[in-house]
Amino acid sequence: MREPTIARNYAEALFDSGERTGSTDLYADLLEAVAGAIEADETVRDFLESPRVPKAKKQEVLASALKEHAPQQFLKFLDAVVKRGRQG
């Protein structure tokens, strides 16, 4: 029961950020793309879920992959998700 509550909190934080910046649709598209990549590619999924991969490396790879497409606020959101181990 705790996991859905945590996920909802993260979703609400991202939605609020999108509302403040007028980027709600962009954030939704980016989040869907990231989730789709994780679902579609076992290598990406294993990399992000592995406790052996340092969180800083995960953050670096995500930022590098999305820097051309995602605003800084969205990248900060992903950083927070990874930092707290919630990327699953």
Side-chain angles (χ1 to χ4, degrees), residues 1-12 86 88:
M1 188 66 164
R2 184 165 154 79
E3 287 300 316
T5 300
I6 292 169
R8 185 177 312 116
N9 290 342
Y10 279 93
E12 287 175 1
R86 300 295 182 191

Side-chain angles (χ1 to χ4, degrees), residues 58-78:
K58 294 174 188 180
Q59 291 167 321
E60 177 186 319
V61 168
L62 286 169
S64 178
L66 295 170
K67 67 183 175 190
E68 301 290 324
H69 309 286
Q72 192 63 32
Q73 280 302 110
F74 185 83
L75 296 176
K76 286 181 181 181
F77 169 80
L78 290 181

Side-chain angles (χ1 to χ4, degrees), residues 38-85:
I38 292 168
E39 185 177 319
D41 191 322
E42 186 176 340
T43 303
V44 172
R45 184 174 46 256
D46 290 347
F47 173 81
L48 290 174
E49 292 179 355
S50 175
R52 293 184 176 181
V53 178
K55 292 176 182 180
K57 185 64 176 175
K58 294 174 188 180
Q59 291 167 321
E60 177 186 319
V61 168
L62 286 169
S64 178
L66 295 170
K67 67 183 175 190
E68 301 290 324
H69 309 286
Q72 192 63 32
Q73 280 302 110
F74 185 83
L75 296 176
K76 286 181 181 181
F77 169 80
L78 290 181
D79 277 350
V81 169
V82 171
K83 179 180 179 181
R84 291 168 181 84

